[in-house]
Amino acid sequence: MVTKTEENQLNRLESQVDNGGGGAWDYLCLVRKLKLRRSDKVLKHGLSILNNPSKRSALGPEEWTLYEQVAVAAMDCQSLDVAKDCIKALRKKFPDSKRVG
């Protein structure tokens, strides 16, 4: 269950990110932590990070968590080409993973 404080934080971050104020990574982490499905926004803001090599590399190992989060969001949004691209990157990094499979 999402607390009122978490809901306020999520709404603040969502508005900030939607209006170009930054904080996309924090927003995506909070969506993941709260186990919410905001697929359209996750897809949009997640891709903005994945498509920027410097932002993507700054994530370190969390890059792969973002690939997975965006892949699920892309499937929810019927963006199957994006989902396939994310899964392809995950398979390359984790070729024997049952989770990726």
Side-chain angles (χ1 to χ4, degrees):
M1 185 169 160
V2 178
T3 67
K4 191 68 173 166
T5 303
E6 291 168 331
E7 184 179 343
N8 289 338
Q9 181 183 12
L10 180 71
N11 290 335
R12 182 186 55 77
L13 271 173
E14 189 170 83
S15 176
Q16 177 182 316
V17 173
D18 284 346
N19 292 306
W25 176 246
D26 293 331
Y27 172 73
L28 294 167
C29 288
L30 186 58
V31 167
R32 197 168 49 251
K33 175 187 167 199
L34 299 176
K35 298 180 179 171
L36 300 174
R37 297 289 278 247
R38 302 260 173 117
S39 298
D40 56 331
K41 295 186 183 284
V42 167
L43 181 59
K44 177 183 176 185
H45 300 304
L47 278 178
S48 74
I49 294 172
L50 291 177
N51 290 332
N52 183 318
S54 62
K55 286 182 181 179
R56 187 178 64 238
S57 66
L59 298 177
E62 290 295 318
E63 171 184 354
W64 307 109
T65 302
L66 182 56
Y67 269 110
E68 182 177 6
Q69 187 178 13
V70 170
V72 171
M75 286 184 269
D76 285 349
C77 294
Q78 302 299 309
S79 296
L80 300 182
D81 288 339
V82 173
K84 287 177 186 176
D85 289 344
C86 290
I87 293 168
K88 182 178 176 183
L90 288 164
R91 274 199 183 138
K92 185 174 181 183
K93 176 69 176 172
F94 306 102
D96 298 325
S97 170
K98 291 183 190 278
R99 183 176 179 138
V100 173

